Amino acid sequence: MKDIFHEMELLSRQLNQAHRAAIQAELNAAGLGEVGHPMLVSILQSAKEDPEGQCQAQRELADLLHVSPAAVANSLKCLERDSYIRREPWQRDARRNQVILTEKGTAAVEGCRDVFRRVSARMMAGFSPEELEQLAQFQRRMLDNLITSDSHEKE
């Protein structure tokens, strides 16, 4: 049984690396290589949930992405420099910034989503709908196992 765990760990790492490489290659080919795509997707998704329009606080973005506020600040600086976003003081609390997706940013998000769809279709080619459902069930179970074991370790 130990050998299958080792093989699964290697396959998981290889799949993750191959997926990242495929995403980056597609982004580069689409002229979106410099875009911090997870950040943009997060901004777009959270903007739809914001009743006041396209804005999101930097600290909330850090929480959504599970990264440090400093990492978000660096990413936002690059995105702002490249005109994908703009930052403005929050009307309710001037100590916080709103992050607003620009037209260029919205177009980049759609481009990134197209890349994600193409890479996913390529990765899942040849699987039947039943196999895909079974794979999703296995992955949900693995994720639940990890999340459950993390919460038990913290207690």
Side-chain angles (χ1 to χ4, degrees):
M1 192 65 143
K2 191 174 188 178
D3 287 338
I4 192 66
F5 286 153
H6 180 71
E7 181 182 8
M8 292 298 292
E9 178 65 23
L10 287 175
L11 285 170
S12 178
R13 288 174 188 255
Q14 290 171 334
L15 179 61
N16 186 6
Q17 289 171 343
H19 185 261
R20 285 178 157 210
I23 291 286
Q24 193 59 53
E26 289 274 344
L27 287 171
N28 291 343
L32 296 168
E34 81 285 353
V35 175
H37 58 276
M39 180 72 64
L40 289 173
V41 172
S42 173
I43 291 167
L44 182 65
Q45 289 172 340
S46 60
K48 288 182 179 177
E49 297 166 5
D50 189 335
E52 296 180 3
Q54 291 189 329
C55 59
Q56 185 67 34
Q58 288 177 210
R59 185 174 306 274
E60 291 162 350
L61 287 170
D63 291 343
L64 282 170
L65 297 169
H66 303 288
V67 297
S68 71
V72 169
N74 287 335
S75 294
L76 290 175
K77 190 183 301 183
C78 293
L79 293 170
E80 188 172 33
R81 178 196 67 217
D82 295 335
S83 302
Y84 291 105
I85 61 139
R86 69 179 193 277
R87 292 186 278 187
E88 298 176 355
W90 198 279
Q91 290 177 348
R92 294 183 198 162
D93 183 351
R95 297 169 297 174
R96 296 173 58 183
N97 282 330
Q98 295 177 336
V99 178
I100 302 168
L101 199 59
T102 64
E103 272 187 52
K104 181 179 178 182
T106 300
V109 167
E110 288 308 311
C112 289
R113 286 184 169 175
D114 290 342
V115 164
F116 295 151
R117 283 189 283 272
R118 284 195 304 273
V119 170
S120 290
R122 196 167 88 211
M123 184 170 64
M124 300 302 178
F127 285 88
S128 70
E130 295 80 17
E131 289 171 325
L132 290 172
E133 181 56 40
Q134 188 175 28
L135 178 60
Q137 287 174 358
F138 289 150
Q139 288 176 327
R140 282 190 292 271
R141 190 182 323 163
M142 288 187 288
L143 184 59
D144 287 345
N145 288 344
L146 290 173
I147 290 171
T148 302
S149 69
D150 279 350
S151 65
H152 287 287
E153 290 172 10
K154 291 178 184 176
E155 292 175 355

